[in-house]
Amino acid sequence: MNEAPLLELTGVRVAFDQKGAPGGTLALDGVDLTVHRREIVALVGPSGAGKTTLARTILGMVRPEAGEVTFDGQPLTGLSQRRLRHLRRRMHLVFQDPYSSLHPGRRVEWLVAEPLAIAGTPRHERSAAVTEALAEVGLTPVETFRRRHPHQLSGGQRQRVALARAIVARPDLVVADEPASMLDASLRAVILELVKRLRDRHGATVVFITHDLALARHVADRIVVVVGGRIVEDGPADEVVFRPRHEATVELLDASRRARTALG
Amino acid sequence: MTTPAVLLPEPVEPAAGSRVSRPARILGMVGLALLALVVGGALGASVIAEHPPERSVGSPFLSPSGEHWLGTDDIGRDLFAQLLHGARVSVSVGLGAAVLALLVGTVVALLAGYRGGWWDVVLMRLVDLALTLPLLVLVLVLTAFLGRSLPVITLLIAGVLWARPARLLRSQVLKVRELGHVAAAEAMGASSTRVALTHVLPRLVPLMSSQLVRAATVAVVVQAGIAFLGLGDPDRVSWGTMLFFANSSNAVLTEAWKWWVLPPGFALGALVLGLALVSYCVEEWAEPRLARNAGRRGRRRPRPTTEAEPQTEGTTLEVRHLSVRFEGGGRPVEAVRDVDLVVRRGRTMGLAGESGSGKSTLSLALVGLVPDPGRVVEGEVMFGGRDLRRIGRTSVARVRGREVALVPQSAMNALNPARTIHRQVAEAAELTCPAAEARARTGELLERVGIPAGRHHDYPHQFSGGMRQRVLIAMALVNDPRLVIADEPVTGLDVVNQVTIMELLGGLVRELDLDLLIISHELPLLARWVDDLAIMYAGEVIERGPVDQLIGDPRHPYTKLLLSSFPDLYGPRSRLGAVPGEPPDLSRLPAGCSFAPRCPCVGPECTASRPVLVELGAGRAAACFCAGDERVADLFVDPVAVAEGNPP
């Protein structure tokens, strides 16, 4: 990987907002992270570890108190709201909850075309991209699905709509925040496959957030363990699972191990 | 930061035919009819009434006749014409002022709520100010300065009415802002104008429409009030001015009040009542939760007429042929179908299933808590030697919480946010023992489930999801039940918390000699902590048996495929298996096997008839025509094929 990294965080500190615990506790405390192009990196940690805050910081939706976030060579801090919004069009966030992340009053075709509408693509050029993306995520027959409203779709189908939107957006970076955790297990594999495909077919870099190391290992090339607002371990997926170095990782592994029987 | 309470959507809610309940719909219709009457009169005033309203057309104080339907006033003007033309004033002022007030209110709400910062501070102080001013007095004073023409009065009324909708809409904006799709649009780099107009504004419409009707009602009343005080537009006849003139010529003291005072009074009443009824209906449409309350009816539960077979020796709970159906407008939903389930003494039972499998409805049916409009239509729930379906509501309520305890789903919502956890657990304990003893037991038990004494008097919001789940467990155990039913006790928790809660439950079972039924969709987790397992799909138990055999050698294709969809921690990094197709729609189940549309092993017999649970020996059973088939053992569905919409 001689190319310059797509994303670089150095010494990032983020304080809790007013809603969080007061008294100077930090949501992120000195995070250094480098993400290379076309890599799938899993951020793994227990709830409250700071994974989501980290994701929001990467997207420039949370401004760090200290430290620097650099996206494709461009520092995010100090950018105007307008410039930041423009840069954000090259990133895409896939949400955990497919029930609330889609506007309930709009049809699938509008929802999938929204990144194009935001980018100012002319209306007649949007339709073909939507058709292609819906077909790719398996929402066929496309002509039926594009006219549906979110409430006419199952949870799995809604998450496919969200992923079709990610395809249409053609982002350099996709942040997927536990995209399968609210879905039934039987639908999980397809969603994870579609997330991987954003890298394999569309060349996106993927940051994948989860609390389950086993899942992280199946999806990601690299695992970054986040605990208490710090990165405690960072390495190739199998390396982290088979030869953990930090005790927090060992603890997570232990929980993951005890959360399952040897199957089938 | 924290994982939200994850409620896998269980489609127990029947497909609602309409968003508004029947009573509200009827009242709304009556309201619309009243409004139609008034608006019709206003629009057709010049056609229907033969006389002009503001000129003298006959002798004064005439009684009603064919010429003058409501007689004439003190200077011989036609009262019927005045009534109809008066409707124009009321309708136009009501509508005009309401639309203006809502327009201003919405813009203020969007600026304050969505832009925030200084906009919010300044605008909301203005709203506070506007809300504290005495409305009627202010309008009266200002008309004295600005004149009394209708447009001025409309503007003034709007000027005092905008604040209430502005405040309500702002808090709605704050709520909508937090919704996922708003955050999604922001994350895609949408401008704030775009987000405000396409994502926030449409979600305000229900509240806006109910506020519009409300504002119109107030505007009509205020306008009539002003006119009655003689401060209205002197050139326009309105209901208020009719009453003003009636009052000043002492119509109340003569016969004339019947045709002079009553008609405008009734007309005003009809308009306001019409608006109020419509607003009631609109509010319910905007907030469908209100409808449940209105549409609720006590219903007698049918009790079985035949004698139940005695409960099998060695079982704590024996469920036979239990079926639950939801019927409320639309198609009936068979949430639980002919389920047999046994919790054996000393063995923990696990019930696994995905959304729509009916597992949560089943758990509620066991303790007589099936939510409206669902009902148990068949079956027996044998517990402690009697059928809980035959002993009546009050007796079931006595069993519940004492002998059988339910740990409810969603630790986030099951606790009262306004009371300390100690108080809530102690309250449950007071069902069976005196207050002092209840407090002591509560302290002990909270400590046992891992909540340190220093935190017993904290409030639910001060605890994490895992800690709240512990509180619910303590609450379930406080009356020494024999059977605990835990409904999705670890849903929404991270892996570390999941394991801790399961360990806690396991430990308590041994220590207190309880029997436990755990319901979960986390199959691998469940499998580690239970002795027996039942898998549900589309309301039926499709496979059951001792856990090791069931997991090691699943016989139902669904069980096999479901197991392949969980990632292995140390196994080879391979693709996870998929289950093709979509979860079942309980209101449109196929005629044969309900898994047939998704099943790779489907054969002609599967679509023709429904397979029943067949005993396979060693306590195992599966409901599948190919349960003995070796194809099931090698089943695997590649998610790539499913993702492309080409399941095998």
Side-chain angles (χ1 to χ4, degrees), chain A residues 53-71:
Chain A
T53 309
L54 184 50
R56 293 174 67 86
T57 311
I58 290 171
L59 289 161
M61 296 171 85
V62 169
R63 296 220 176 209
E65 286 194 335
E68 187 57 83
V69 181
T70 313
F71 178 78

Side-chain angles (χ1 to χ4, degrees), chain B residues 429-515:
Chain B
E430 280 169 24
L431 275 177
T432 56
C433 61
E437 199 189 322
R439 279 197 298 276
R441 286 182 65 108
T442 300
E444 239 169 72
L445 203 53
L446 281 175
E447 208 134 337
R448 171 64 190 84
V449 299
I451 296 172
R455 304 206 54 197
H456 290 186
H457 296 280
D458 284 355
Y459 290 88
H461 73 265
Q462 293 166 294
F463 292 94
S464 67
M467 290 300 249
R468 271 185 273 207
Q469 194 59 56
R470 290 165 194 255
V471 176
L472 290 180
I473 291 173
M475 204 184 272
L477 294 179
V478 78
N479 290 318
D480 263 336
R482 282 164 49 203
L483 174 67
V484 173
I485 301 172
D487 187 6
E488 303 260 11
V490 297
T491 302
L493 301 180
D494 65 30
V495 184
V496 180
N497 273 308
Q498 286 181 349
V499 170
T500 336
I501 292 293
M502 292 303 264
E503 270 171 359
L504 175 65
L505 276 171
L508 288 164
V509 163
R510 280 191 301 277
E511 209 173 288
L512 305 172
D513 192 25
L514 304 164
D515 289 314

Side-chain angles (χ1 to χ4, degrees), chain B residues 101-423:
Chain B
L102 253 292
L103 215 63
V104 175
T106 307
V107 172
V108 167
L110 282 175
L111 282 174
Y114 189 66
R115 269 286 165 85
W118 278 105
W119 284 101
D120 195 28
V121 175
V122 173
L123 287 172
M124 288 329 282
R125 293 300 78 75
L126 262 177
V127 167
D128 287 341
L129 191 70
L131 281 173
T132 49
L133 294 172
L135 176 104
L136 194 59
V137 177
L138 189 75
V139 175
L140 292 180
V141 172
L142 287 173
T143 42
F145 277 104
L146 301 170
R148 300 170 176 185
S149 72
L150 272 191
V152 169
I153 287 178
T154 307
L155 270 175
L156 282 177
I157 294 177
V160 288
L161 280 185
W162 64 273
R164 202 181 127 84
R167 162 171 283 184
L168 291 173
L169 286 167
R170 170 185 167 268
S171 50
Q172 185 74 6
V173 170
L174 292 181
K175 262 187 243 161
V176 172
R177 255 184 87 153
E178 301 295 318
L179 291 178
H181 67 88
V182 177
E186 282 167 353
M188 284 187 275
S191 67
S192 44
T193 322
R194 183 187 162 86
V195 176
L197 294 182
T198 60
H199 286 271
V200 181
L201 189 61
R203 315 242 16 200
L204 301 181
V205 169
L207 183 61
M208 282 167 68
S209 39
S210 65
Q211 283 300 307
L212 184 78
V213 183
R214 246 160 206 261
T217 316
V218 179
V220 166
V221 171
V222 169
Q223 187 276 331
I226 295 169
F228 174 67
L229 294 173
L231 300 168
D233 186 340
D235 300 330
R236 292 295 296 269
V237 174
S238 73
W239 296 337
T241 52
M242 281 175 81
L243 292 168
F244 166 69
F245 286 119
N247 188 44
S248 58
S249 17
N250 295 324
V252 200
L253 303 178
T254 66
E255 273 285 275
W257 67 274
K258 285 184 195 156
W259 48 86
W260 200 348
V261 176
L262 284 188
F266 275 127
L268 200 54
L271 180 54
V272 171
L273 184 66
L275 285 168
L277 291 180
V278 169
S279 122
Y280 175 75
C281 190
V282 169
E283 259 166 41
E284 199 173 273
W285 168 75
E287 192 70 55
R289 264 181 306 158
L290 298 172
R292 299 239 179 92
N293 210 16
R296 241 165 118 158
R297 260 193 308 260
R299 203 192 309 102
R300 285 191 44 201
R301 282 150 206 257
R303 284 203 214 165
T305 44
T306 52
E307 265 314 288
E309 296 273 315
Q311 188 170 353
T312 312
E313 209 50 38
T315 62
T316 302
L317 179 78
E318 189 178 9
V319 178
R320 302 177 189 140
H321 310 296
L322 193 74
S323 294
V324 180
R325 187 184 300 148
F326 284 83
E327 280 170 14
R331 292 157 184 269
V333 171
E334 309 270 352
V336 175
R337 295 186 296 156
D338 197 15
V339 163
D340 288 336
L341 188 77
V342 173
V343 179
R344 293 200 168 75
R345 188 79 193 92
R347 283 176 78 82
T348 295
M349 176 79 198
L351 186 61
E354 300 186 282
S355 342
S357 65
K359 56 189 189 306
S360 287
T361 307
L362 174 62
S363 73
L364 293 173
L366 297 182
V367 290
L369 287 177
V370 175
D372 256 353
R375 53 192 267 207
V376 177
V377 287
E378 210 205 322
E380 287 152 12
V381 180
M382 303 300 294
F383 176 80
R386 66 224 137 131
D387 180 2
L388 295 188
R389 281 197 64 217
R390 288 165 205 254
I391 60 174
R393 246 187 243 206
T394 354
S395 311
V396 173
R398 282 193 60 82
V399 171
R400 191 168 60 219
R402 292 180 176 88
E403 293 167 71
V404 182
L406 182 72
V407 180
Q409 207 176 47
S410 176
M412 295 290 173
N413 309 323
L415 291 166
N416 180 345
R419 294 195 172 177
T420 68
I421 56 158
H422 187 277
R423 182 104 193 264

Side-chain angles (χ1 to χ4, degrees), chain A residues 47-48 53 85 88-89 99-100 103 114 137-138 154 182 184-186 189 197 201 211 217-218 220 255 258-260, chain B residues 1 8-9 181 186 189-190 198-199 354-355 494-495 499 503 525 528 568-569 571 573-574 577 579 582 643-644:
Chain A
S47 41
T53 309
R85 271 206 300 269
R88 219 179 266 154
R89 291 177 196 166
Y99 291 89
S100 76
H103 193 316
E114 194 172 15
V137 299
S154 73
M182 285 183 81
D184 280 329
S186 63
R197 196 183 273 183
R201 279 202 192 167
H211 63 86
R217 183 172 158 254
H218 279 267
R258 284 187 297 159
R260 48 179 48 81
Chain B
M1 288 298 309
L8 286 170
H181 67 88
E186 282 167 353
T198 60
H199 286 271
E354 300 186 282
S355 342
D494 65 30
V495 184
V499 170
E503 270 171 359
L525 180 76
R528 195 183 169 94
D568 198 14
L569 184 58
R573 276 182 72 186
S574 53
V579 182
E582 289 297 323
E644 277 162 4

Side-chain angles (χ1 to χ4, degrees), chain B residues 527-557:
Chain B
R528 195 183 169 94
W529 301 98
V530 299
D531 303 308
D532 297 306
L533 192 59
I535 314 281
M536 280 188 84
Y537 185 83
E540 292 170 293
V541 171
I542 51 109
E543 184 161 11
R544 66 173 154 77
V547 68
D548 296 340
Q549 298 173 38
L550 199 153
I551 295 289
D553 176 25
R555 295 294 176 80
H556 196 289

